Amino acid sequence: MSCFDVQIVSGYVRLDSDHRSHNEYLKLCSKLQNIGLPMSFFVQNLNDCWLYRHYQNQGVAIEESGNKDSMAYKIIMHEKSNWMHRASKAWSPKTLVWIDAGIFHLQAILPKHIIAFVEHLKKYPPQRILSPSCKPLDMEWDDRVIDWTFCGGVLAMPALMSHWFQRQVEEHAKKDLTWEVNTWSKIVRKYPDNFQFYSADHNEKMFTGIKS
């Protein structure tokens, strides 16, 4: 039985790139880990990712580049929902909150924003999958471009929905490997009643934009 209502989930898979160095990522990870809130933080290798194993079993050659459009990078992005489900099984919290390990590279975001966001979720636990959104949901969508209906860096949900969400992610990502926000966008268009959004952007609004 969990001793807390809200569990933060994050994780890191090393993938060397010119975008951000390993040491820079470690500093960002440390800053998130030290905000003083209950957190499951996963660290693993690329070949431990569920989607890596899937494509490896299919005989697909996996490009292990740190480029944001590489196959390896997309595989790691799809580990978010799996880590959330694993945290739910391990700790049984009421609410799960995904936060990207490198969230503090957005300098407008401060620890106090995350702490206030968690306090809000304790008071108003989400009944559906809750996400900051960079743009309104458009049912007519070209899936060849990145869809920022989901901001991607933050995602909250009732822990009991984590298994359902992971199954949906698996079903879609095995058919078409794209950015995780595009996979999530396919799911919301199929099950819109399972999601709730609030207006934000890739800044502190991902935490401060939520309303009661």
Side-chain angles (χ1 to χ4, degrees):
M1 188 70 178
S2 174
C3 61
F4 41 80
D5 294 325
V6 179
Q7 171 87 352
I8 293 173
V9 185
S10 192
Y12 176 61
V13 176
R14 181 172 182 173
L15 190 64
D16 293 329
S17 71
D18 296 332
H19 173 65
R20 190 170 292 116
S21 73
H22 176 58
N23 286 337
E24 287 176 305
Y25 265 117
L26 292 181
K27 291 177 183 178
L28 293 169
C29 291
S30 178
K31 186 173 181 178
L32 179 62
Q33 290 171 311
N34 288 323
I35 61 175
L37 294 173
M39 183 180 304
S40 290
F41 196 100
F42 295 87
V43 178
Q44 63 189 45
N45 296 319
L46 178 63
N47 58 12
D48 293 321
C49 294
W50 70 269
L51 201 45
Y52 183 96
R53 296 193 300 269
H54 167 75
Y55 282 109
Q56 189 178 52
N57 291 338
Q58 300 296 314
V60 177
I62 298 171
E63 176 198 357
E64 298 189 13
S65 162
N67 181 289
K68 282 195 168 187
D69 282 318
S70 72
M71 193 170 187
Y73 198 90
K74 293 172 184 175
I75 284 171
I76 293 170
M77 288 193 286
H78 281 84
E79 198 69 13
K80 296 180 182 182
S81 54
N82 183 46
W83 282 331
M84 293 183 81
H85 181 45
R86 287 173 60 186
S88 175
K89 291 192 295 182
W91 298 104
S92 301
K94 180 180 292 184
T95 300
L96 295 167
V97 182
W98 171 265
I99 300 177
D100 278 359
I103 197 76
F104 285 119
H105 86 276
L106 299 168
Q107 296 183 4
I109 297 175
L110 302 174
K112 67 179 183 180
H113 297 140
I114 298 176
I115 293 169
F117 181 73
V118 168
E119 288 302 314
H120 177 94
L121 295 179
K122 288 180 182 178
K123 189 174 181 180
Y124 304 101
Q127 304 303 306
R128 296 178 285 176
I129 296 173
L130 176 67
S131 176
S133 177
C134 296
K135 71 177 191 64
L137 176 65
D138 183 0
M139 300 305 284
E140 298 295 327
W141 165 55
D142 181 354
D143 65 3
R144 294 171 297 179
V145 299
I146 300 173
D147 181 15
W148 293 115
T149 298
F150 292 86
C151 291
V154 178
L155 189 72
M157 69 180 67
L160 292 176
M161 291 191 72
S162 65
H163 183 222
W164 174 85
F165 188 58
Q166 174 59 11
R167 284 193 291 109
Q168 295 301 318
V169 169
E170 289 180 7
E171 178 184 331
H172 287 81
K174 287 177 180 178
K175 296 176 183 176
D176 178 28
L177 182 59
T178 180
W179 280 48
E180 93 284 22
V181 291
N182 282 25
T183 298
W184 299 353
S185 290
K186 293 174 184 177
I187 299 169
V188 72
R189 283 166 174 80
K190 191 174 181 180
Y191 300 99
D193 292 341
N194 285 1
F195 293 83
Q196 179 181 355
F197 296 96
Y198 56 94
S199 181
D201 207 334
H202 290 112
N203 53 32
E204 76 279 8
K205 293 292 185 182
M206 288 191 287
F207 298 102
T208 64
I210 191 169
K211 306 298 181 183
S212 302

